[in-house]
Amino acid sequence: MTKVVFLLASEAEPQEWHHEINEMQRTSGETWGRQNASLFDYTVGRFIVAAYRDTGQYTLAAESPTEVLPSYLISIQNGTHMDAMALRETLNDSGAENASSLLPSTTQLLSILLPLSKQVRLKNVILALPLEYEPSSHSS
């Protein structure tokens, strides 16, 4: 969350986001693919949902049930973490999480967040964030 807030507050360009994400991936090592990439995407999704709330688009709607990205954001909005995780896996074709480039899910989420972030006040977005996902509390 700190990294996302910093990048949004500094109005970072897409290449700065890519650099920071690649650095997080490098320092995460194996945990990037197992957990950190998913948590990063979920955090970006939380900011998108909050930004929609700030712009008056309080609820998200998928045009059809097969639209994965809107369904992923709706799952975040509704706090249905397991559904969000399954949808994110679908976005990434289940598993290229160790690739050196950005994951499809991350790329799609940033394509929404970056333009949207120019329409909102960061303070308002932070205050409207949906609940955080804590995977340790959902382990079996």
Side-chain angles (χ1 to χ4, degrees):
M1 185 166 159
T2 302
K3 184 71 70 176
V4 174
V5 170
F6 171 77
L7 289 165
L8 288 172
S10 66
E11 299 179 1
E13 295 295 322
Q15 62 271 19
E16 294 171 78
W17 282 83
H18 292 211
H19 172 77
E20 292 296 330
I21 294 166
N22 287 334
E23 185 61 22
M24 284 188 295
Q25 181 179 1
R26 187 187 66 74
T27 58
S28 292
E30 291 180 15
T31 61
W32 183 255
R34 287 194 317 266
Q35 186 174 33
N36 295 354
S38 178
L39 291 173
F40 181 79
D41 281 353
Y42 195 88
T43 300
V44 171
R46 288 175 62 223
F47 275 85
I48 292 169
V49 170
Y52 279 151
R53 288 177 180 168
D54 188 55
T55 61
Q57 302 174 40
Y58 186 74
T59 57
L60 297 160
E63 294 293 319
S64 77
T66 60
E67 288 186 88
V68 179
L69 187 61
S71 296
Y72 175 71
L73 293 170
I74 290 166
S75 293
I76 292 171
Q77 175 180 278
N78 295 338
T80 52
H81 311 299
M82 299 307 282
D83 291 343
M85 288 173 52
L87 289 162
R88 181 184 171 276
E89 191 171 310
T90 301
L91 285 169
N92 292 317
D93 293 326
S94 59
E97 295 192 23
N98 290 316
S100 60
S101 61
L102 294 183
L103 293 167
S105 57
T106 306
T107 301
Q108 291 177 47
L109 289 164
L110 290 179
S111 74
I112 295 170
L113 179 64
L114 298 182
L116 189 59
S117 68
K118 296 178 185 349
Q119 303 171 28
V120 296
R121 294 186 56 205
L122 184 56
K123 178 182 176 185
N124 294 347
V125 171
I126 291 170
L127 293 173
L129 285 173
L131 292 176
E132 191 169 356
Y133 170 51
E134 299 178 33
S136 60
S137 65
H138 298 282
S139 300
S140 49

